[in-house]
Amino acid sequence: MMSSRMVPDATKNRCGNVSKDLSAWLSKNELPEHANTWTDSSWRASVRRSLLRWFRRESRDLPWRQEPTPYRVWVSEIMLQQTQVATVIDYYHRFMDSFPTVRDLAEADLQKVLTHWEGLGYYRRARSLHAASQKIMEVHGGEFPTRYEDVLALPGIGRYTAGAILSISLGQRLPILEGNTQRVFSRWIASRSPVTDRQALNLLWKFAEVMLPTKDPGAFNQAAMELGALICRPTSPNCGQCPVKASCQARLLGLQEEIPGKVKKLVYEDREEYAFVVRENQSQRSNSSTRYLVRRLPEGRRWAGLWDFPRTTEQSYQNVQEASRALSAELGIPFDVGADLLTLKHAVTRFRIKLHVYAAACNGSHRKPERPPKPWRFATLDEINALPMSVTGRKIAERIPVADGS
C-alpha cells in the first residue's frame, strides 16, 4: 500500500502500469499530497514526447548550447545560478574569450577571474570555479572529469550542477532539480507542498529521475528548464501555450497559481552603513597622483576577494561622525569627513541596507606619511578601476571625480 496521500487524478486513474522498482520505492517513502498519474509509464512517455517536440521547435539559441562541452556547460551553469539568462550571455562570452579552457582558468590570477565576474554577484561562485579548475588540473590532468562522483567532489558543485553538466554535455542519464524544474514538476503532479519541504524534495528528485528518457536525457533536462523559464512562470503561467497542458495535473485541477506551495519569505532587517572615499594627504607625497584608501577583503567577510573602500559592515552606528571615528581608530589613520557623495540602497543576505557614502581626507596634522595597516593601501583612480569590486564598490569608485570636485 502506498504511503503517500494523493489528490484526485484530474484525468483518470491510469496507474496500473507501474514498474516493480517504482512500486517498491513508493511503498517505502512518505510523500506529500500529489496526483499519482506520474507513476504510469504511458503518462510519462506522453509528457516527454510533447515537451521534446516543443523544445526542438522553440528552444533559445544560447551560446553554451552551440558547443556543449563539459567545461562550457559547467561555466554556464555556475553563472546561471541566481542570475537571469539575459544577464549571463555577455558575461559568458567575455569569460570564455579570456578563459577558453580549464587550464587557462586554473592558471589565471584569481583577481582577474573576479574582475570578469564583477556585476554578476554571488562572488563565491567565481572563487569556486577557480578552485575547481585547479583541482581538475591537479587530480584529473586538466580533463574535466566524467564520473558523477568526481564532478560532485569539485568545489561549488552540488547534485543539480553535476547532473546538468554530465547529462547535457555527455548524455548521461542523470536528473536535475533547480528553481524552474521544481516549479514545473510540482505543477505536473499537483504537489502543493513548498519545494523546501524534505518529503516534497524527495518526491521531485524521484520524479525527475523516472521522467528521464533513455535517449538524450540532457535534451529533456534542458527542455524542462526552458519550459519553466518561458511558459511555466512563477506567476501567471502561460498555460494556453504549454505543450504539456493536457497532462498537467495542476492546470486540470485549476491549481497552477497555487502550486508549488509558498516558501516562507525572508524577513529583512533594515540597516544603516557608512562608506568613505578617503583621500591621501597630498602634502606628504612628491607624486601628484591622488590616491585613495582601499583594501582586498579577507576570507569570511562580505565579498571576500574583492576590493573595497573603508565601510562599516560588522557593527551599526548612529551617525557618520560615530562611524568615521570607529574606522579611524581601526585604521590608525585619522581622517576628516567631507561632502555627502551619494546614498545607495541594496540587500545582502538578510539585511536591507542604506549605504551613506562620504568624501574624506587624511588629517594633515600628521607629520609622517600615513602607512595604513595591511591589507589596506592607497591606490590611484586608474588602479582602482582595474581592481575587482562589488556593485556598490564600483558605484562609489565612479563618484571619485565628484569627491575631488573635478
Side-chain angles (χ1 to χ4, degrees), residues 207-247:
F207 177 77
E209 177 188 325
V210 300
M211 283 301 301
L212 286 174
T214 54
K215 181 181 178 181
D216 203 358
F220 176 86
N221 284 337
Q222 291 181 88
M225 290 190 286
E226 194 89 330
L227 188 72
L230 302 181
I231 302 292
C232 196
R233 300 181 295 257
T235 58
S236 302
N238 189 1
C239 296
Q241 297 298 314
C242 179
V244 191
K245 61 185 177 183
S247 302

Side-chain angles (χ1 to χ4, degrees), residues 264-269 350-352:
K264 185 178 180 181
K265 287 188 177 181
L266 177 65
V267 178
Y268 284 98
E269 178 183 331
R350 61 186 177 88
F351 297 108
R352 186 181 287 112

Side-chain angles (χ1 to χ4, degrees), residues 1-7 18 21-39 189-194 197-207 210:
M1 181 178 178
M2 295 182 187
S3 58
S4 58
R5 294 175 295 149
M6 303 292 182
V7 299
V18 182
D21 289 343
L22 180 55
S23 180
W25 183 87
L26 288 167
S27 67
K28 293 177 182 178
N29 288 270
E30 185 69 28
L31 302 175
E33 184 179 7
H34 69 284
N36 62 0
T37 38
W38 68 280
T39 61
I189 63 175
S191 174
R192 302 192 207 188
S193 298
D197 179 78
R198 182 184 60 81
Q199 292 182 357
L201 274 178
N202 187 33
L203 170 62
L204 291 175
W205 272 112
K206 187 63 179 181
F207 177 77
V210 300

Side-chain angles (χ1 to χ4, degrees), residues 52-71:
L52 290 170
R53 190 183 305 120
W54 170 83
F55 186 62
R56 286 191 292 269
R57 185 178 67 250
E58 302 292 341
S59 62
R60 290 171 291 181
D61 182 19
L62 301 175
W64 44 87
R65 290 177 176 167
Q66 296 167 8
E67 188 184 346
T69 64
Y71 175 66

Side-chain angles (χ1 to χ4, degrees), residues 14 37-38 40-54 184-185 188-189 207 211 220 223-224 227 242-249:
R14 300 181 299 177
T37 38
W38 68 280
D40 190 299
S41 60
S42 62
W43 182 90
R44 299 197 300 270
S46 175
V47 169
R48 288 190 203 105
R49 285 193 300 270
S50 299
L51 179 67
L52 290 170
R53 190 183 305 120
W54 170 83
V184 168
F185 295 164
W188 282 359
I189 63 175
F207 177 77
M211 283 301 301
F220 176 86
L227 188 72
C242 179
V244 191
K245 61 185 177 183
S247 302
C248 177
Q249 300 300 293

Side-chain angles (χ1 to χ4, degrees), residues 8 65 83 104 107 126 131 160 162 166 190 206 210 235 269 281 291 312 329 333 339 346 364 384 406:
R65 290 177 176 167
T83 309
D104 292 314
E107 293 179 351
Y160 154 70
L166 295 176
K206 187 63 179 181
V210 300
T235 58
E269 178 183 331
N281 186 349
R291 302 193 305 176
T312 61
I333 299 176
H346 65 115
I384 289 171
S406 56

